[in-house]
Amino acid sequence: MAESSEPPERDHERPERDEHERPERRDRTERTERVEQAGRRERPEKAERGERAASDERGERAERRERARPNDIWARPRGGRRPKLTREAIVDKAVEIADAEGLEAVSIRRVASELGVRAMSLYTHIEAKEDLLDLMYDVVAVEVLVEDGLPDDWREAMIAITRKERAAGLRHPWMFELAGRSPRIGPNGLRHAEQSMAAAARLTDDPEEMLAIVTTVDHYMLGFVLREQRLREMGATGLGEARQSALEQTYIAKLLESGEFPHLRSALDTGIYNQEDFDLGLKWLLDGIEHDHRGKWPSTSSPT
């Protein structure tokens, strides 16, 4: 057998070789540890960056939806595959609930329950409760539109619109609450506003005066109907009880007996404080408006 040309490794040489190898092993170990430490640090940082990015994206989507909301509900595509569940059915049910129990009873969950579906099914058609409320208002706004065109006479046109507003307000007491809550106007609300301005335009061609006339008549109608709603809620018995309760209070009785309130005393004695005459008040209001515009487009008609 041939002998190896390399001399056998001597024991005294091994320590020297080990000493050369140890720094390399230490370097590799240190590099590995540094890489692992960097990885451990990087993982939470990546997770945190990912969470921040996801949060930013959600915020941007919400902001885009909020920017788009002012008029988007009527232009938004109507979703849903269930033929029995439509936007119209949802809104009609919400109106029914509000008429019976008040606006506070309306919620996505309640409407879904009444329709026999899950609440999530409604979000296919309506994204938020505020959208539902806007749609409810616009649906009942149809009831204040004058069909077949306005009368030629400005007073008759204004009377026709105002009577319809009053009737709709009594059928849907929550209408005026919604009108003061949302700046968004739907297509039927716009048609109503246009009819009101068109009625005023029969008296004046000044846009500012048109708006002032419409606003003044609206204020009269709104104040009367709100009071009328309250009287209807109380009923004749409730009004009588309230009147009797007031007269039985010692300080009120003393003040009335003092003679300081003769006109109020006579009204309370006769009960005419709850008298209702919508058309008479409207006539007086329109008389004043027309008197101020005499000589422009005169009209002599009056409410009947």
Side-chain angles (χ1 to χ4, degrees), residues 34-44:
R34 285 197 296 271
V35 170
E36 290 177 352
Q37 290 174 359
R40 285 194 295 270
R41 287 196 301 271
E42 188 175 1
R43 279 194 294 273

Side-chain angles (χ1 to χ4, degrees), residues 201-242:
R202 286 157 166 73
L203 181 65
T204 175
D205 58 359
D206 186 333
E208 290 187 7
E209 289 186 351
M210 293 179 202
L211 184 58
I213 292 170
V214 171
T215 303
T216 300
V217 176
D218 275 350
H219 286 171
Y220 168 76
M221 179 278 304
L222 178 60
F224 193 98
V225 174
L226 291 177
R227 176 177 173 272
E228 195 172 12
Q229 288 174 352
R230 177 59 177 159
L231 295 176
R232 288 191 176 191
E233 289 174 2
M234 296 180 67
T237 303
L239 286 171
E241 291 175 354

Side-chain angles (χ1 to χ4, degrees), residues 61-76 127 131 184:
R61 285 200 303 267
E63 186 177 350
R64 286 196 298 270
R65 284 198 302 270
E66 189 62 29
R67 286 197 302 266
R69 277 194 62 194
N71 295 298
D72 69 335
I73 184 60
W74 293 278
R76 192 178 305 152
E127 290 189 358
D131 291 339
R184 299 192 292 179

Side-chain angles (χ1 to χ4, degrees), residues 245-256:
S245 176
L247 294 175
E248 288 174 354
Q249 296 182 48
T250 304
Y251 83 97
I252 291 181
K254 286 184 177 180
L255 288 174
L256 292 176

Side-chain angles (χ1 to χ4, degrees), residues 26-27 29-39 41:
R26 284 199 300 269
D27 291 344
T29 302
E30 290 175 358
R31 284 197 299 271
T32 301
E33 290 177 352
R34 285 197 296 271
V35 170
E36 290 177 352
Q37 290 174 359
R41 287 196 301 271

